[in-house]
């Protein structure tokens, strides 16, 4: 049963109103912010009522949720025509929910360089011929043999840079769509979250631009410092990390105005579920650009 099914099922069985915290406990859905996202989406889809009132369990006045399939009539506050709760504003998350906002911790980014160009040219690990033996590049073998036969023993990076200098766009066929952009170098400042994993958020002027996750044996510092913060020549190629290149290049454009926020979590399933929910609900600009 999905989180949405759990919420709808519980609310349909009870003629009362419940806050997100109590729903989280009753439906056994963690972390709590998942319920906030699920209920916000269900409200937008008119599958539940969401309004300000006293929770039937804890008694606190909060934003509560109520089934649209009650066996008794809902209070006047909960009728569809009287609900005044605005739709979730992507730009205001997580400010739209104070408790969720408090769970995010900003970690300072330290920038060491901007305007790094031709990073792909520093790839010396394989020659042109060695690269052409790989599945992702074998389709270029005949073209290279016929047109660039004298350079097959040359390191791939310098070879492609030579083509670029000569105005030969063939070099782009070896790179991912973001492999020849201008990058920057940065790292997150050491904190007590450096060795944790969970959800990370890049924000610009208070607006969420990108949401990602760290799971498994990786840590925030590894993902940020060795991933987004330092683009290796290998990442520029079609078998590299296009996402790293894309996000780094966008950060290079806005400079040190970007902010990093972390939400530490321990369970990989929760991390993946929450990331999907956040991206689906908020539709961050940089995430969408990668689709």
């Amino acid at each position: 049963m999905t989180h949405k099914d759990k919420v709808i099922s519980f609310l349909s069985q009870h003629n009362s109103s419940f806050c997100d915290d109590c729903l989280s406990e009753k439906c056994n859905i963690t972390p709590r912010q998942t319920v906030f996202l699920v209920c916000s989406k269900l409200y937008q889809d008119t599958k539940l009522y969401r309004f300000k009132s006293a929770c039937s369990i804890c008694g606190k006045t909060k934003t509560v949720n109520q089934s649209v399939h009650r066996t008794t009539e809902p209070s006047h506050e909960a009728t569809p025509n009287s609900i005044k709760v605005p739709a979730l504003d992507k730009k205001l998350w997580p400010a739209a929910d104070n408790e969720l906002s408090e769970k995010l911790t900003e970690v300072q980014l330290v920038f060491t360089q901007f305007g790094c160009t031709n990073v792909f040219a520093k790839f010396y690990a394989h020659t042109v011929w060695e690269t052409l033996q790989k599945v992702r590049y074998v389709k270029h073998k005949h073209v290279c043999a016929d047109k660039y036969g004298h350079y097959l023993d040359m390191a791939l990076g310098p070879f492609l840079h030579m083509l670029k200098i000569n105005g030969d766009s063939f070099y782009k066929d070896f790179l991912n769509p973001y492999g020849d952009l201008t990058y920057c170098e940065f790292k997150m400042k050491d904190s007590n979250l450096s060795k944790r994993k969970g959800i990370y958020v890049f924000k610009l002027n208070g607006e969420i631009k990108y949401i990602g996750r760290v799971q498994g044996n990786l840590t925030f510092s590894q993902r940020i410092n060795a991933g987004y913060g330092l683009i290796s020549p290998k990442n520029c190629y079609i078998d590299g990390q296009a996402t790293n290149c894309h996000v780094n290049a966008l950060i290079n454009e806005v400079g040190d105005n970007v902010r990093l926020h972390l939400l530490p979590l321990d369970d990989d399933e929760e991390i993946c579920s929450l990331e999907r929910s956040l991206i689906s609900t908020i539709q961050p600009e940089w995430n969408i650009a990668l689709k």
Side-chain angles (χ1 to χ4, degrees), residues 11-255:
L11 291 177
S12 298
Q13 296 174 35
H14 298 80
N15 294 330
S16 299
S17 306
F18 306 91
C19 69
D20 294 348
D21 289 327
C22 293
L23 269 182
S24 175
E25 181 180 348
K26 293 297 182 181
C27 297
N28 193 27
I29 299 175
T30 56
R32 176 258 177 225
Q33 56 263 35
T34 300
V35 175
F36 164 71
L37 293 168
V38 168
C39 290
S40 295
K41 185 64 169 64
L42 288 173
Y43 165 66
Q44 290 179 348
D45 294 339
T46 65
K47 293 183 179 180
L48 60 74
Y49 300 136
R50 190 165 168 83
F51 55 97
K52 203 81 170 179
S53 186
C55 174
S56 297
I57 295 179
C58 67
K60 297 178 180 179
T61 299
K62 298 181 179 180
T63 297
V64 295
N65 308 280
Q66 193 176 84
S67 173
V68 296
H69 302 296
R70 289 163 50 92
T71 56
T72 60
E73 288 299 316
S75 65
H76 71 281
E77 298 171 287
T79 59
N81 291 333
S82 66
I83 296 177
K84 303 300 182 181
V85 181
L88 183 65
D89 188 335
K90 296 185 294 184
K91 295 182 179 181
L92 294 181
W93 186 91
D97 185 273
N98 290 333
E99 294 184 23
L100 182 55
S101 180
E102 290 173 358
K103 294 181 181 293
L104 283 171
T105 301
E106 181 176 352
V107 176
Q108 183 180 354
L109 291 176
V110 179
F111 289 83
T112 56
Q113 190 171 355
F114 290 98
C116 305
T117 59
N118 297 318
V119 172
F120 70 90
K122 299 176 183 178
F123 185 70
Y124 299 95
H126 298 290
T127 65
V128 176
W129 182 249
E130 289 171 339
T131 301
L132 294 172
Q133 311 311 307
K134 299 181 179 181
V135 175
R136 300 292 296 274
Y137 301 94
V138 69
K139 62 183 179 181
H140 302 310
K141 182 180 291 187
H142 294 299
V143 174
C144 287
D146 293 341
K147 192 173 180 180
Y148 310 103
H150 296 300
Y151 302 101
L152 297 181
D153 291 329
M154 189 174 179
L156 181 63
F159 167 70
L160 296 183
H161 191 219
M162 178 188 70
L163 296 185
K164 178 181 179 179
I165 292 174
N166 292 333
D168 189 339
S169 62
F170 179 64
Y171 82 96
K172 294 182 179 179
D173 291 356
F174 289 77
L175 307 177
N176 70 60
Y178 313 103
D180 188 24
L181 300 179
T182 303
Y183 308 118
C184 58
E185 294 183 5
F186 61 87
K187 62 181 180 180
M188 58 177 282
K189 194 171 183 178
D190 286 340
S191 75
N192 57 356
L193 299 180
S194 297
K195 303 304 180 184
R196 298 289 301 278
K197 61 183 178 180
I199 301 297
Y200 58 89
V201 173
F202 285 115
K203 298 174 70 175
L204 178 64
N205 298 325
E207 179 180 351
I208 291 176
K209 291 294 187 177
Y210 187 80
I211 297 171
R213 69 175 185 265
V214 178
Q215 63 186 95
N217 295 323
L218 285 178
T219 65
F220 283 128
S221 61
Q222 290 172 322
R223 187 70 185 94
I224 301 301
N225 297 351
Y228 295 116
L230 182 62
I231 301 301
S232 70
K234 177 63 177 177
N235 278 347
C236 299
Y237 290 82
I238 56 177
D239 55 347
Q241 294 290 333
T243 299
N244 290 358
C245 297
H246 174 74
V247 174
N248 181 289
L250 290 169
I251 292 175
N252 181 76
E253 292 179 2
V254 301

